[in-house]
Amino acid sequence: MPSREETLLDAAIGILGSHGVRALTHRAVDAAAAVPTGSTANYFKTRDMLISAVADRFADRDRATWQAIAGFVRPTTAVELAAALAAYVHRALGPERALTIARYGLFVEAALRPELQGRLAEAALSIRTWGTEWLRAIGSTDPESECAAILDYLDGLIFHQLTFPGPADTVEAAITQAVRRLCTTAA
């Protein structure tokens, strides 16, 4: 069961993903979380404090999601890796679309507010560690660099699909092709 603070931050992430950073106000979070007016301000005195806490909560949630994925996804080939990544992308563009948009909104905020970069970078490092292990397991000759290239490609693909959606059935093929191009195995 999430704490009151986590409930507020999850509501804030929902606002960010559904309406953008400009809509993220204390009053909007109170309404979205169905709590009395002023509740969010009791936890986060300023908007900057709210955005910082949202970045932390988002990073924690992102890390937990990838930890769960890493716990049950064990690719043994580039094709299996591509399929797992395609499933993630489909989820990011479908049922978790608002969360994905919130993610990119936080990235833009981090570009403008360097104090957020470290918080988001820690979660990204955890994700790259799991990705590197997947690549190592399938025989990658340079798992760290290839993981960075593949995850950067996925970020670009997801962002492009959010902004200029193309046919959903082409996403899996594009990911499979990218993994084949970006992953060199000893086999």
Side-chain angles (χ1 to χ4, degrees):
M1 185 67 131
S3 69
R4 176 77 163 243
E5 184 174 340
E6 290 169 335
T7 299
L8 294 171
L9 293 173
D10 290 343
I13 290 168
I15 291 166
L16 183 59
S18 299
H19 304 291
V21 72
R22 296 181 110 193
L24 185 60
T25 64
H26 289 86
R27 188 175 304 249
V29 174
D30 290 341
V35 297
T37 301
S39 296
T40 302
N42 286 334
Y43 286 90
F44 315 103
K45 301 295 182 205
T46 67
R47 188 166 186 277
D48 284 344
M49 289 174 71
L50 175 61
I51 290 173
S52 292
V54 166
D56 289 340
R57 175 69 174 157
F58 180 84
D60 289 345
R61 284 179 57 178
D62 204 27
R63 194 174 13 257
T65 296
W66 278 95
Q67 185 173 11
I69 292 169
F72 69 85
V73 173
R74 303 257 194 260
T76 58
T77 66
V79 171
E80 289 176 5
L81 175 62
L85 295 174
Y88 168 77
V89 169
H90 283 296
R91 188 164 179 80
L93 295 171
E96 294 185 358
R97 181 181 173 83
L99 185 61
T100 303
I101 293 170
R103 178 175 185 254
Y104 289 108
L106 286 170
F107 286 0
V108 170
E109 283 299 303
L112 302 171
R113 298 175 50 181
E115 71 274 9
L116 298 179
Q117 291 172 5
R119 294 176 169 116
L120 297 172
E122 287 177 32
L125 181 60
S126 297
I127 293 165
R128 287 183 189 247
T129 299
W130 292 311
T132 298
E133 290 307 313
W134 287 342
L135 285 160
R136 189 170 283 118
I138 67 171
S140 168
T141 58
D142 188 4
E144 291 86 6
S145 296
E146 291 174 0
C147 178
I150 289 169
L151 291 178
D152 289 347
Y153 170 79
L154 290 179
D155 271 337
L157 174 73
I158 292 168
F159 186 76
H160 192 270
Q161 286 292 316
L162 288 171
T163 310
F164 309 105
D169 59 346
T170 63
V171 170
E172 190 166 344
I175 292 170
T176 299
Q177 186 177 36
V179 169
R180 285 185 179 145
R181 284 185 180 156
L182 297 171
C183 180
T184 55
T185 59

